[in-house]
């Protein structure tokens, strides 16, 4: 068997961050922090923003459910942020069309909760009305108005002189089974006016009950209203006193920023794979996973994860092995494998290896999870090579005398041996040309 040649990882061209640490655990143990996660719909999610920052920045564990990888999603439109960068704003800026989507989503949630159309219309009308906030003029004089007006990109913009009291952090859908309208949750804890059917106190109580009914452990700042700046257009005449037909032709569309409450908030959460979650609990001891209000033990997590994912034990052993070697393993489903191995982390290098993990006995025999024929192996290898990676088969060798009882605990990894095999395509013509060279 030929010895595999190690190829250095391919570094990314542009890197916009610095490397902090390989694990979310300090060496000295001075600032040791135990993060909290919960099991929701067979997924492990982290809600606390501080825990999210700790786990992702130090070791790149998990991914944001609304982002490609790093949890940095925001409802703010980047084009509008650039357009209104002269304004003194500390709130997200969105288009009126996108704001209407949020209103419609909130309307559908209220209707599902049993409110009649009249009540829904009055709740949303009161909740989404323009807010009176101080506006800072260009000369420093403070005025009170509903919006920040903008005539054109060259016109001097007006910014809000104070920040809204509510937290305007990143936004996320609490449900993980569907990242669409149905998986998002509206928070309507505002001060709605009395509707046709109920008084104001009843509506506020109903909103709080509906928040608890969904079984979400929502932080107090998540229940606070979120303030956004909505870009809207209004038509105005160059000659306000002239009502002639000629004046109607000279209408100018004036853009303005209107401060409103967001009736349908979305929150960015960190989703951990089962292997990442168990590694943080078992190997590092820096994560506590809850199901409801009960924290789960290591043995219970091993049992539950094995039921949710039948091949969990095999993939976790491979994950634990490569993490211990200094690699950053991520889910390799995109390339048809179990794991992708990164050096330092995805922001710095492209993945070097695509890994398939198999649990075998001493004779390299057993019920393989993925029996590969020459045809499927060639296709998988070609897919991997086209993505500038190498295909690796990771065999986890289990002793013949190991019982199922021993496999029921993570302590079985102490007797597991690992054999790595890199699959490459042999090109005979290339080898002959290399041998013919002097």
């Amino acid at each position: 068997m030929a010895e595999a040649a190690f190829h250095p990882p391919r570094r990314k061209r542009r890197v916009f961050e610095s490397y902090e640490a390989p694990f979310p655990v300090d060496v000295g143990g001075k600032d040791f922090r135990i993060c909290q996660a919960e099991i929701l719909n067979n997924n492990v999610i982290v809600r606390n923003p501080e825990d999210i920052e700790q786990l992702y920045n130090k070791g790149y564990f998990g991914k944001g459910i609304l982002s490609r990888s790093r949890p940095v999603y925001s409802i703010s439109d980047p084009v509008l942020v650039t357009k209104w960068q002269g304004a003194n704003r500390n709130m997200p800026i969105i288009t009126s069309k996108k704001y209407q989507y949020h209103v419609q989503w909130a309307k559908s949630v209220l209707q599902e909760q049993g409110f009649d159309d009249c009540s829904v219309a009055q709740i949303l009308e009161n909740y989404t009305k323009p807010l009176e906030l101080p506006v800072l003029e260009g000369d420093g004089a403070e005025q009170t108005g509903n919006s920040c007006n903008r005539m054109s990109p060259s016109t001097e913009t007006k910014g809000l002189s104070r920040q809204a009291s509510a937290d305007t952090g990143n936004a996320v859908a609490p449900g993980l089974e569907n990242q669409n309208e149905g998986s998002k949750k509206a928070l309507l804890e505002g001060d709605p006016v009395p509707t046709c059917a109920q008084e104001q106190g009843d509506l506020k109580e109903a909103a709080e009950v509906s928040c608890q009914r969904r079984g979400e452990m929502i932080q107090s700042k998540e229940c606070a209203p979120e303030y956004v700046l909505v870009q809207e257009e209004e038509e105005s005449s160059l000659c306000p006193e002239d009502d002639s037909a000629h004046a109607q032709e000279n209408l100018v569309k004036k853009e303005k920023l209107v401060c409103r409450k967001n009736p349908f908030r979305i929150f960015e959460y960190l989703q951990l794979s089962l292997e990442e979650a168990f590694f943080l609990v078992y190997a590092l001891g820096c994560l506590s996973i809850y199901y409801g209000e009960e924290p789960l033990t290591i043995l219970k997590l091993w049992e539950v994860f094995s039921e949710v994912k039948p091949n969990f034990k095999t993939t976790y052993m491979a994950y634990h092995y490569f993490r211990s070697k200094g690699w950053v393993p991520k889910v390799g489903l995109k390339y048809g494998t179990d794991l992708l191995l990164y050096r330092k982390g995805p922001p710095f290098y492209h993945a070097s290896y695509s890994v398939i993990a198999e649990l075998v006995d001493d004779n390299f025999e057993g019920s393989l999870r993925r029996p590969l024929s020459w045809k499927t192996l060639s296709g998988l290898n070609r897919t991997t090579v086209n993505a500038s990676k190498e295909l690796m088969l990771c065999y986890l060798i289990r002793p013949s005398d190991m019982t199922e009882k021993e496999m029921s605990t993570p302590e079985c990894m102490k007797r597991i041996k690992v054999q790595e095999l890199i699959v490459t395509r042999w090109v005979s013509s290339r080898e002959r040309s290399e041998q013919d060279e002097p």
Side-chain angles (χ1 to χ4, degrees):
M1 180 181 296
E3 184 177 355
F6 176 77
H7 300 285
R10 189 162 60 95
R11 188 175 180 85
K12 291 188 175 180
R13 295 181 179 179
R14 298 179 181 179
V15 178
F16 301 99
E17 59 184 273
S18 58
Y19 183 73
E20 293 190 21
F23 299 117
V25 178
D26 293 335
V27 178
K30 298 179 181 179
D31 300 327
F32 184 78
R33 175 188 179 90
I34 298 181
C35 303
Q36 290 189 2
E38 61 180 297
I39 297 179
L40 182 64
N41 299 326
N42 295 333
N43 294 278
V44 180
I45 63 171
V46 181
R47 299 176 182 268
N48 192 324
E50 296 180 359
D51 293 344
I52 292 175
E53 182 179 1
Q54 175 85 355
L55 295 177
Y56 191 85
N57 291 348
K58 297 182 178 180
Y60 300 98
F61 291 90
K63 71 173 294 294
I65 64 172
L66 295 180
S67 306
R68 293 187 60 184
S69 182
R70 176 178 291 277
V72 292
Y73 173 81
S74 174
I75 64 172
S76 189
D77 191 335
V79 176
L80 295 183
V81 171
T82 304
K83 181 179 180 180
W84 292 89
Q85 61 182 356
N88 180 22
R89 49 104 191 131
N90 292 291
M91 290 176 284
I93 303 179
I94 62 177
T95 61
S96 59
K97 183 177 181 181
K98 186 174 183 179
Y99 186 77
Q100 289 303 318
Y101 286 150
H102 287 247
V103 175
Q104 292 297 324
W105 296 338
K107 179 179 178 180
S108 63
V109 171
L110 288 175
Q111 290 175 344
E112 291 176 0
Q113 295 176 359
F115 292 96
D116 55 56
D117 294 340
C118 180
S119 302
V120 171
Q122 290 194 22
I123 292 175
L124 294 179
E125 181 181 358
N126 180 76
Y127 197 88
T128 60
K129 63 184 180 181
L131 301 178
E132 297 270 347
L133 292 179
V135 177
L136 189 63
E137 295 285 352
D139 56 0
E142 188 178 280
Q143 298 182 357
T144 302
N146 292 341
S147 61
C148 304
N149 296 333
R150 177 187 177 96
M151 292 293 296
S152 65
S154 60
T155 307
E156 183 178 5
T157 59
K158 306 174 184 178
L160 298 177
S161 62
R162 67 179 178 87
Q163 182 179 359
S165 60
D167 177 35
T168 59
N170 295 335
V172 125
L176 293 177
E177 63 276 10
N178 293 314
Q179 297 180 12
N180 53 21
E181 303 173 11
S183 66
K184 302 171 186 175
K185 172 168 57 66
L187 298 181
L188 297 170
E189 289 78 21
D191 296 321
V193 297
T195 64
C196 306
Q198 295 174 302
E199 294 296 327
Q200 178 177 356
D202 297 336
L203 283 177
K204 188 173 183 179
E205 181 180 357
E208 294 174 352
V209 171
S210 65
C211 190
Q212 298 174 358
R213 190 178 301 164
R214 291 177 175 269
E216 305 290 344
M217 296 188 299
I218 302 172
Q219 304 296 331
S220 58
K221 66 178 180 180
E222 292 183 1
C223 290
E226 180 185 33
Y227 296 91
V228 295
L229 297 176
V230 184
Q231 177 179 280
E232 299 180 355
E233 293 183 352
E234 62 179 6
E235 294 183 351
S236 61
S237 176
L238 294 178
C239 301
E241 299 179 355
D242 190 0
D243 296 335
S244 62
H246 179 70
Q248 298 296 328
E249 299 177 357
N250 295 330
L251 292 177
V252 177
K253 289 186 177 181
K254 183 171 61 175
E255 296 174 338
K256 60 179 181 179
L257 290 180
V258 181
C259 182
R260 300 179 186 271
K261 288 182 181 179
N262 182 11
F264 193 95
R265 295 189 63 183
I266 340 178
F267 299 92
E268 176 83 290
Y269 297 150
L270 187 73
Q271 180 177 358
L272 299 172
S273 68
L274 300 183
E275 291 79 12
E276 291 173 326
F278 194 83
F279 183 84
L280 291 170
V281 175
Y282 173 71
L284 300 182
C286 63
L287 182 69
S288 181
I289 301 178
Y290 287 76
Y291 183 74
E293 298 181 357
E294 177 186 0
L296 301 181
T297 63
I298 293 178
L299 293 179
K300 188 64 177 178
L301 286 173
W302 184 262
E303 178 185 351
V304 171
F305 289 172
S306 299
E307 292 179 359
V308 173
K309 186 178 181 180
N311 60 339
F312 167 75
K313 296 177 182 178
T314 302
T315 54
Y316 176 74
M317 291 178 188
Y319 181 93
H320 189 105
Y321 172 78
F322 289 113
R323 263 289 183 180
S324 303
K325 294 291 185 179
W327 293 97
V328 178
K330 305 297 287 187
V331 177
L333 183 62
K334 182 190 300 184
Y335 299 99
T337 57
D338 297 318
L339 299 173
L340 294 177
L341 301 185
Y342 292 86
R343 180 174 182 253
K344 295 177 68 174
F348 307 99
Y349 293 90
H350 295 279
S352 300
Y353 300 98
S354 294
V355 182
I356 294 179
E358 291 287 359
L359 183 63
V360 297
D361 58 14
D362 294 336
N363 298 321
F364 282 82
E365 296 179 353
S367 57
L368 299 180
R369 297 172 38 249
R370 187 181 310 187
L372 295 175
S373 63
W374 283 111
K375 185 177 181 179
T376 56
L377 182 61
S378 176
L380 183 59
N381 183 65
R382 182 179 291 272
T383 302
T384 304
V385 172
N386 289 342
S388 300
K389 300 171 179 51
E390 291 186 279
L391 180 62
M392 178 187 296
L393 302 180
C394 178
Y395 290 103
L396 304 163
I397 306 174
R398 166 184 172 177
S400 302
D401 59 346
M402 180 176 287
T403 63
E404 290 297 328
K405 184 177 180 180
E406 293 181 77
M407 292 289 293
S408 62
T409 67
E411 295 298 315
C412 65
M413 289 188 293
K414 296 180 179 179
R415 301 185 60 190
I416 299 293
K417 298 180 180 179
V418 181
Q419 177 68 55
E420 305 165 11
L421 179 64
I422 296 179
V423 180
T424 57
R425 181 168 174 246
W426 179 66
V427 183
S428 59
S429 59
R430 184 184 305 171
E431 183 171 332
R432 284 199 303 269
S433 61
E434 293 176 356
Q435 293 177 355
D436 294 340
E437 292 179 359

